[in-house]
Amino acid sequence: MASILHIDSSPRGERSKSRQLAKEFITAWQDRHPDDAIAYRDLRQTPVPHVTEDWIAAYFTPPEALTPEMAELLKFSDELVDEFLAADRCVFSVPMYNFSIPSNFKAYIDHIVRVNRTFSDENGQFKGFANGKKVLFITSRGVEFGSGSPYEGWDAQEPALRYPFQFMGVTDIQFIHANGLDLGDDARKRGLNEARSKIQALVGSW
Ligand SMILES: Cc1cc2nc3c(=O)[nH]c(=O)nc-3n(C[C@H](O)[C@H](O)[C@H](O)COP(=O)(O)O)c2cc1C
């Protein structure tokens, strides 16, 4: 039995395509693996605050020197780290915003990339602790990025997601992108169909 962490980040609810696709993946996964435990977090319902100067001061304070106020500031981040580390597999749904990621998912990343929790720093030698985990990102995008598109090479979303997780030691990172969702009915159908085919293929082999 594996533990799966499923996080949705779109500020949109039912209309969100990234949520719909992640739900389809999770539903198909549960059909195949009914005993797996799914932890669900919705960043729309429970937003992660942006980091502050006081939070950063607490972050860099050794655990034994934390004041009660500092410990309180880190409490939510601690919960997010525990939840992330406990998962064998993560499914994150993330829309593209301004060629990168929405600020709520960036805030989530800022809270889980924690020294001595998800990585260590030995005089500038960094080591991630989150190895052995599989991470799948399901993304939704308004435009297309293929060869010949005016936006070819503009995808800053995939690196914004990949590198922090690689830094934390995750080696198995996969992406399913739904492209062209705001380019009219034909492009939307094509983008969703391609993403759904990849979901069906991955759910049997992940
Ligand atoms: C604030 C904002 C910024 C966006 N920026 C981009 C962008 O840079 N590139 C892109 O392809 N689509 C962009 N889009 C379109 C969304 O990625 C697209 O509509 C996607 O389906 C939204 O995800 P959701 O359906 O899960 O909410 C943007 C949408 C919003 C609301």
Side-chain angles (χ1 to χ4, degrees):
M1 184 184 116
S3 2
I4 316 284
L5 173 60
H6 169 198
I7 296 186
D8 285 326
S9 65
S10 173
R12 301 203 299 166
E14 295 294 308
R15 286 155 61 194
S16 158
K17 295 289 180 276
S18 58
R19 283 174 190 268
Q20 288 168 19
L21 293 170
K23 193 171 175 188
E24 287 172 27
F25 183 91
I26 291 289
T27 303
W29 183 267
Q30 282 179 303
D31 286 346
R32 287 166 181 263
H33 307 275
D35 294 335
D36 281 4
I38 315 267
Y40 178 66
R41 178 170 293 281
D42 187 346
L43 300 188
R44 180 179 185 239
Q45 303 290 349
T46 319
V48 178
H50 288 164
V51 303
T52 60
E53 184 169 6
D54 288 346
W55 187 91
I56 294 166
Y59 178 116
F60 285 109
T61 301
E64 62 281 4
L66 284 173
T67 64
E69 292 76 21
M70 286 172 156
E72 185 60 31
L73 271 179
L74 292 178
K75 202 169 148 205
F76 188 33
S77 170
D78 288 337
E79 279 172 28
L80 296 175
V81 168
D82 290 342
E83 181 183 72
F84 171 63
L85 289 176
D88 302 305
R89 293 156 189 259
C90 303
V91 178
F92 297 131
S93 77
V94 189
M96 175 177 275
Y97 275 10
N98 296 307
F99 301 98
S100 183
I101 58 178
S103 62
N104 64 357
F105 199 80
K106 179 60 168 59
Y108 171 73
I109 292 174
D110 291 341
H111 280 257
I112 62 167
V113 182
R114 285 270 306 275
V115 68
N116 298 329
R117 295 294 324 274
T118 48
F119 74 96
S120 61
D121 175 2
E122 298 293 335
N123 302 316
Q125 297 288 312
F126 299 107
K127 186 169 170 233
F129 296 155
N131 37 11
K133 214 182 274 309
K134 292 185 182 210
V135 171
L136 167 63
F137 293 103
I138 297 179
T139 79
S140 50
R141 288 111 168 261
V143 301
E144 293 171 346
F145 296 87
S147 165
S149 148
Y151 305 105
E152 185 182 353
W154 287 38
D155 177 6
Q157 183 192 39
E158 190 170 316
L161 294 169
R162 178 186 298 282
Y163 294 134
F165 286 84
Q166 252 175 235
F167 183 75
M168 290 188 287
V170 183
T171 54
D172 192 328
I173 301 175
Q174 303 218 38
F175 289 87
I176 293 177
H177 299 301
N179 292 299
L181 302 186
D182 298 337
L183 294 178
D185 286 348
D186 289 350
R188 181 182 312 110
K189 275 185 202 145
R190 190 168 60 241
L192 289 174
N193 285 343
E194 281 174 11
R196 288 190 168 118
S197 300
K198 289 178 183 166
I199 284 172
Q200 290 312 321
L202 187 64
V203 88
S205 61
W206 196 40

